[in-house]
Amino acid sequence: GAGVSQTPSNKVTEKGKYVELRCDPISGHTALYWYRQSLGQGPEFLIYFQGTGAADDSGLPNDRFFAVRPEGSVSTLKIQRTERGDSAVYLCASSPGRNEQFFGPGTRLTVL
Amino acid sequence: AQSVTQLDSQVPVFEEAPVELRCNYSSSVSVYLFWYVQYPNQGLQLLLKYLSGSTLVKGINGFEAEFNKSQTSFHLRKPSVHISDTAEYFCAVSGQGAQKLVFGQGTRLTINP
């Protein structure tokens, strides 16, 4: 079956611009996660959704970052006023709730 | 809170040699432990996980790991590596009541012919 998909695969933007990153989870998975992976580092947790609600947003670095999952399926990570330090690969994962997370290929964000 | 330390940032080995990738964790609560592999330009794939029960866990592609609670370790092993095992390997932990994964920095495994 289809895995987790993320669009776009690459996004180049200018400092100060707004970006949206999309995640399509595996059908039927109730849990959805966003992580950020900087060069040479392991992924860092950003936010976790159970259904439509954000169950844990403790990893969001500041109020420029926001994520939604309005219908409990697709999620969008939104970054306002992008900074060069936001450049990273943004990973999405979904889970059926059996302690296993299935990761998408990621979106590589470059802020110039 | 949990943390993970992967003791080696890079591990070069020859093809068909055994390999061990080391992982230590820190947590004040009981944990679940995971190893993920990331092949070049691909997403993370689960190799194996420890939730409970037997401390020796077998995963895909001939990998196994042993949970050692007293040493707070979860080292990954393979008795004979192949060129196709070249990848970045990440150890991760989550609290049993939590959902998010905390990852180590990763270990780059390079297989030389």
Side-chain angles (χ1 to χ4, degrees):
Chain A
V4 177
S5 63
Q6 293 186 245
T7 54
S9 55
N10 280 283
K11 176 71 178 178
V12 180
T13 191
E14 294 180 344
K15 181 176 179 296
K17 299 288 188 183
Y18 168 83
V19 296
E20 289 189 352
L21 312 179
R22 177 187 167 108
C23 173
D24 281 85
I26 294 171
S27 177
H29 283 192
T30 56
L32 185 145
Y33 308 79
W34 284 99
Y35 294 83
R36 178 169 71 172
Q37 186 175 19
S38 300
L39 194 62
Q41 305 292 318
E44 292 179 303
F45 169 78
L46 295 176
I47 187 169
Y48 152 56
F49 287 90
Q50 184 62 251
T52 60
D56 182 356
D57 65 358
S58 61
L60 294 178
N62 52 59
D63 61 6
R64 296 188 297 105
F65 288 74
F66 189 70
V68 295
R69 194 185 186 199
E71 297 179 357
S73 178
V74 170
S75 176
T76 305
L77 179 65
K78 309 180 180 194
I79 310 174
Q80 298 178 320
R81 305 184 304 279
T82 52
E83 299 177 357
R84 291 194 180 88
D86 299 335
S87 296
V89 175
Y90 289 81
L91 298 169
C92 176
S94 70
S95 173
R98 292 196 305 268
N99 303 105
E100 180 173 350
Q101 297 182 24
F102 295 82
F103 283 81
T107 293
R108 183 176 299 277
L109 175 66
T110 303
V111 182
L112 300 176
Chain B
Q2 289 85 37
S3 67
V4 176
T5 301
Q6 291 186 242
L7 297 162
D8 306 295
S9 59
Q10 295 187 63
V11 173
V13 294
F14 287 106
E15 194 172 14
E16 298 184 7
V19 69
E20 178 179 81
L21 306 183
R22 296 180 293 170
C23 172
N24 285 88
Y25 70 92
S26 173
S27 177
S28 57
V29 299
S30 297
V31 297
Y32 296 142
L33 292 155
F34 307 82
W35 275 98
Y36 281 84
V37 59
Q38 189 173 37
Y39 297 106
N41 301 314
Q42 293 188 29
L44 291 161
Q45 180 182 1
L46 182 69
L47 270 179
L48 48 78
K49 61 184 176 184
Y50 171 80
L51 303 182
S52 65
S54 173
T55 57
L56 183 62
V57 180
K58 294 190 182 296
I60 62 171
N61 301 340
F63 284 93
E64 64 180 32
E66 185 151 22
F67 170 55
N68 188 320
K69 188 174 181 179
S70 63
Q71 297 186 7
T72 59
S73 68
F74 191 55
H75 301 332
L76 181 71
R77 301 188 191 90
K78 186 169 182 178
S80 176
V81 296
H82 190 265
I83 290 283
S84 60
D85 293 323
T86 296
E88 188 90 18
Y89 291 80
F90 292 96
C91 181
V93 64
S94 73
Q96 290 185 3
Q99 297 292 331
K100 65 184 180 184
L101 292 171
V102 176
F103 286 87
Q105 302 274 66
T107 297
R108 183 173 300 277
L109 178 62
T110 305
I111 312 299
N112 299 307

